């Protein structure tokens, strides 16, 4: 039985969206056209986002008109759902440190920082490891790079496979840690406990009895950070090329 708070929606369906590359360009703000499409869609169905980034960053991208992102979406899932809101109320948070323990975490981070120090890539900036609530994010370039530097690194990485090689080493070295390594964006990869991919968010919605759960994402290929939720039997997956493509498919599927 779908919650009474959603009784104003004619369709008992949930539509979830990845953020970067699906609702907005990576790490940039959502466009007015996407905002409008989401407002129209919300009149018909329940909507939510499932982003890999932390809640503050996703809010910056999606709350462009000054509104609060938890009011604009029925479900707000940051860090793959490890931080979760429903109808503006915090549901739960989980912690990477609780899962791993301080000692193992320290061993992992020390190894990563040594590996980055030994990497010979054209430029390096700062913040090579970003500690988040439910995961860590590792960037050989460094997270406080400019947009232009991010794009240059992405092109370089496509040729050189810097991130893929890094991930392979970590997978072998830390095989007994129970971790998943996911290359989702342009300059980094995420590390989180196995099963804490975007399907983690589904545990917050499966009791609701939605007739259908749709998921829209751009990194739906194997190894991409949308792959697991996109291919999960509980969802109907839609693979998009960019935010305009998301609008196009929404118009087709939901006649908005
Ligand atoms: O949402 C996709 C990814 O976006 C960022 O990646 P990058 O900075 O490499 O483009 C990060 O927030 C990453 O955690 C996230 O998975």
């Amino acid at each position: 039985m779908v919650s009474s708070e959603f009784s104003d929606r004619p369709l008992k369906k949930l539509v979830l969206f990845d953020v970067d590359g699906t609702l907005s360009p990576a790490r940039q703000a959502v466009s007015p056209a996407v905002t409008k499409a989401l407002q129209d869609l919300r009149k018909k169905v329940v909507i939510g986002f499932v982003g890999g980034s932390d809640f503050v960053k996703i809010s910056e991208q999606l709350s462009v008109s000054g509104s609060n992102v938890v009011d604009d979406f029925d479900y707000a899932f940051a860090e793959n759902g490890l931080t979760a809101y429903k109808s503006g109320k915090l549901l739960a948070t989980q912690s990477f440190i609780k899962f791993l323990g301080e000692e193992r975490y320290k061993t992992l981070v020390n190894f990563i920082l040594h590996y980055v120090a030994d990497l010979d890539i054209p430029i390096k900036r700062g913040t090579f490891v970003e500690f988040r609530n439910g995961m860590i994010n590792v960037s050989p370039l460094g997270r406080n790079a400019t947009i232009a530097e991010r794009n240059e690194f992405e092109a370089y990485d496509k040729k050189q496979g810097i991130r893929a090689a890094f991930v392979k080493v970590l997978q072998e070295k830390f095989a007994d840690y129970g971790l998943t390594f996911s290359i989702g964006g342009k300059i980094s990869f995420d590390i989180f406990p196995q099963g804490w991919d975007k399907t983690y968010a589904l545990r917050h919605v499966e009791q609701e009895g939605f007739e259908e759960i749709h998921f829209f994402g751009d990194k739906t290929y194997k190894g991409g950070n949308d792959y697991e939720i996109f291919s999960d039997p509980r969802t109907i997956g839609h693979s998009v090329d960019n935010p305009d493509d998301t609008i196009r498919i929404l118009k087709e599927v939901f006649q908005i």
Side-chain angles (χ1 to χ4, degrees):
M1 180 64 190
V2 176
S3 294
S4 55
E5 58 206 284
F6 303 135
S7 58
D8 57 335
R9 314 304 156 83
L11 303 176
K12 302 304 164 207
K13 297 179 182 181
L14 170 65
V15 184
L16 294 171
F17 299 91
D18 161 55
V19 180
D20 282 327
T22 300
L23 289 183
S24 72
R27 295 296 308 117
Q28 294 178 52
V30 73
S31 70
V34 168
T35 304
K36 168 85 171 59
L38 291 173
Q39 284 165 349
D40 291 345
L41 181 67
R42 200 178 181 199
K43 290 180 189 142
K44 294 190 156 185
V45 301
V46 179
I47 66 167
F49 65 78
V50 194
S53 301
D54 63 36
F55 185 74
V56 173
K57 292 210 181 74
I58 295 177
S59 295
E60 282 165 14
Q61 288 175 257
L62 299 183
S63 322
V64 276
S65 53
S67 59
N68 190 335
V69 77
V70 297
D71 297 327
D72 293 340
F73 290 81
D74 301 296
Y75 286 98
F77 298 123
E79 297 191 41
N80 294 351
L82 298 171
T83 299
Y85 289 86
K86 177 188 178 188
S87 305
K89 290 187 205 75
L90 187 64
L91 290 180
T93 58
Q94 250 296 4
S95 148
F96 186 69
I97 284 286
K98 265 192 234 157
F99 173 85
L100 215 54
E102 291 290 357
E103 276 310 308
R104 292 182 122 200
Y105 174 69
K106 196 168 67 181
T107 307
L108 174 68
V109 169
N110 286 350
F111 183 89
I112 288 169
L113 292 174
H114 278 291
Y115 188 99
V116 171
D118 290 338
L119 262 183
D120 186 16
I121 54 176
I123 60 164
K124 286 184 188 169
R125 291 299 177 254
T127 313
F128 302 102
V129 176
E130 183 174 83
F131 178 70
R132 299 177 183 168
N133 185 43
M135 68 169 79
I136 57 171
N137 176 267
V138 178
S139 173
L141 168 66
R143 291 217 60 77
N144 53 359
T146 63
I147 297 276
E149 288 162 351
R150 290 171 61 85
N151 293 338
E152 279 158 27
F153 178 85
E154 188 189 25
Y156 180 79
D157 189 47
K158 271 192 186 133
K159 284 194 214 120
Q160 303 294 329
I162 302 293
R163 287 184 291 174
F166 198 165
V167 161
K168 191 163 179 288
V169 169
L170 291 173
Q171 273 167 336
E172 282 163 14
K173 174 92 185 156
F174 296 96
D176 59 334
Y177 270 38
L179 297 172
T180 294
F181 301 84
S182 171
I183 301 177
K186 294 186 169 192
I187 60 161
S188 65
F189 55 89
D190 297 326
I191 307 181
F192 47 83
Q194 278 162 12
W196 290 18
D197 52 60
K198 289 188 183 182
T199 59
Y200 190 95
L202 297 177
R203 69 184 65 189
H204 298 300
V205 303
E206 52 194 2
Q207 306 309 321
E208 280 289 341
F210 288 111
E211 285 165 11
E212 289 173 2
I213 301 174
H214 291 253
F215 173 77
F216 286 70
D218 67 323
K219 303 217 166 40
T220 54
Y221 46 83
K222 204 163 180 355
N225 68 348
D226 295 326
Y227 173 75
E228 289 86 358
I229 189 167
F230 169 80
S231 50
D232 191 286
R234 291 169 288 180
T235 65
I236 297 168
H238 304 274
S239 192
V240 306
D241 292 332
N242 51 48
D244 286 342
D245 203 28
T246 302
I247 299 178
R248 181 186 63 77
I249 300 174
L250 285 175
K251 285 183 176 162
E252 252 173 53
V253 177
F254 296 101
Q255 286 84 46
I256 57 165

